[in-house]
């Protein structure tokens, strides 16, 4: 096996919120600020390993975050040259979206239901959840233009979503060509042709790599993990909760931010 690219999801795979870190954040390294407060951390050893990983030149962040959200992440040095954002919808090269890739993505999504229809259904869902969880705040319904939609749930609303209501939404959107993923407080509705693995394959080809290793924790990472030469998934998150398994995707021994550290070390070993 020749040179491999190391592709990894970010949230709850390499970087962690206070809730998902399963550790005292006062002892962690802050990697993201938003509206004047820290919202993401890594362990000190993970921070050092990430520095080496980025310096290798063969690390590729792969995230469902928009480019604007991705740019909030602080790296030990200059950001990686390539990054996959919006679940594969945007390929950043030196911080700028690659126009050629964006055009190819738009062509692939032409067979799915209009995003406006999905947005309307998510707004309807938000209204239902507000009624079902008295006293809660209104969920925020957002779209990434021309790509996908998502709902930011408020306190007390996730239990009202899980179960029959979620099952009905999954069945409906599946017929529209969309997959559904529930990650923490966010519910995503993403066109099935919009995949992380397709964007990673593009970078593998551009870089002349022989393949890639990957890490991820959610259903939106499944295609990435399955397509990789080798894969890791943390002992927490959506995949573990839903019972998803694949022979090529090994579980970490740790959970929380310690799992992120474990994954970072594995990624570095894979590219060096």
């Amino acid at each position: 096996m020749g040179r491999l690219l190391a592709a990894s999801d970010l949230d709850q795979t390499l970087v962690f919120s206070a809730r998902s870190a399963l550790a005292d954040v006062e002892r962690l390294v802050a990697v993201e600020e938003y509206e004047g407060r820290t919202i993401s951390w890594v362990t000190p050893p993970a921070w050092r390993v990430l520095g080496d990983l980025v310096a290798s030149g063969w690390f590729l962040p792969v995230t469902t975050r928009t480019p604007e959200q991705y740019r909030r992440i602080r790296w030990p040095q200059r950001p990686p040259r390539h990054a996959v954002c919006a679940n594969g919808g945007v390929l950043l090269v030196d911080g700028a979206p690659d126009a050629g890739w964006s055009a190819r993505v738009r062509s692939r999504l032409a067979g799915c239901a209009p995003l406006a229809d999905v947005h309307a259904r998510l707004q309807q869902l938000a209204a239902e959840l507000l009624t079902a969880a008295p006293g809660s705040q209104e969920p925020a319904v957002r779209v990434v233009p021309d790509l996908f939609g998502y709902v930011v749930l408020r306190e007390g609303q996730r239990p009202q979503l899980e179960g029959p209501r979620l099952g009905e939404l999954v069945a409906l959107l599946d017929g529209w060509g969309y997959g559904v993923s529930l990650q923490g407080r966010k519910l995503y509705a993403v066109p099935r042709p919009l995949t992380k693995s397709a964007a990673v394959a593009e970078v593998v080809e551009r870089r002349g790599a022989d393949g890639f290793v990957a890490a991820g924790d959610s259903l939106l990472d499944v295609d990435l993990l399955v397509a990789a030469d080798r894969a890791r998934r943390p002992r927490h998150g959506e995949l573990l909760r839903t019972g998803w398994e694949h022979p090529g995707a090994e579980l970490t021994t740790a959970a929380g931010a310690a799992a992120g550290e474990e994954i970072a070390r594995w990624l570095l070993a894979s590219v060096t």
Side-chain angles (χ1 to χ4, degrees), residues 97-179:
D98 185 273
W101 177 252
S102 296
R104 288 166 60 183
V105 167
R106 287 194 297 271
S107 176
R108 291 177 179 177
L109 302 188
C112 298
L115 183 57
D117 293 349
V118 175
H119 185 214
R121 180 62 187 93
L122 294 181
Q123 288 180 311
Q124 180 184 345
L125 174 67
E128 294 172 3
L129 294 175
L130 184 61
T131 300
S136 63
Q137 296 180 340
E138 184 175 359
V141 181
R142 297 170 181 161
V143 294
V144 179
D146 302 320
L147 294 176
F148 62 87
Y150 63 101
V151 180
V152 182
L153 304 174
R154 305 307 187 187
E155 192 71 30
Q157 293 173 352
R158 178 164 172 153
Q160 302 299 326
L161 171 63
E162 295 175 317
R165 185 175 277 116
L166 181 59
E168 292 170 5
L169 180 70
V170 168
L172 173 66
L173 294 189
D174 182 64
W176 291 2
Y178 286 71

Side-chain angles (χ1 to χ4, degrees), residues 7-21 31-34 38-42 50 59-75 84-87 148 150 181-186 188 196 215-221 224 232-234 236-239 241 256-257 259-260 263:
S8 180
D9 174 55
L10 294 179
D11 295 284
Q12 295 193 69
T13 299
L14 284 181
V15 307
F16 297 84
S17 66
R19 180 177 297 181
S20 64
V31 295
E32 182 181 12
E33 303 288 326
Y34 182 60
T38 304
I39 61 172
S40 296
W41 293 263
V42 300
L50 284 174
F59 172 57
L60 177 65
V62 185
T63 179
T64 305
R65 289 176 176 233
T66 65
E68 293 75 21
Q69 293 166 339
Y70 165 74
R71 293 187 184 105
R72 297 199 304 246
I73 296 292
R74 181 172 70 95
W75 300 98
V84 173
C85 297
N87 211 67
F148 62 87
Y150 63 101
S181 176
L182 180 58
Q183 303 178 41
R185 296 189 305 114
K186 291 183 179 180
Y188 291 93
K196 293 180 175 181
D217 72 292
S218 80
L219 289 173
L220 292 176
D221 296 314
L224 180 68
R232 288 288 189 280
R233 57 191 181 96
H236 61 248
E238 187 179 32
L239 292 182
R241 187 171 60 252
I263 287 171

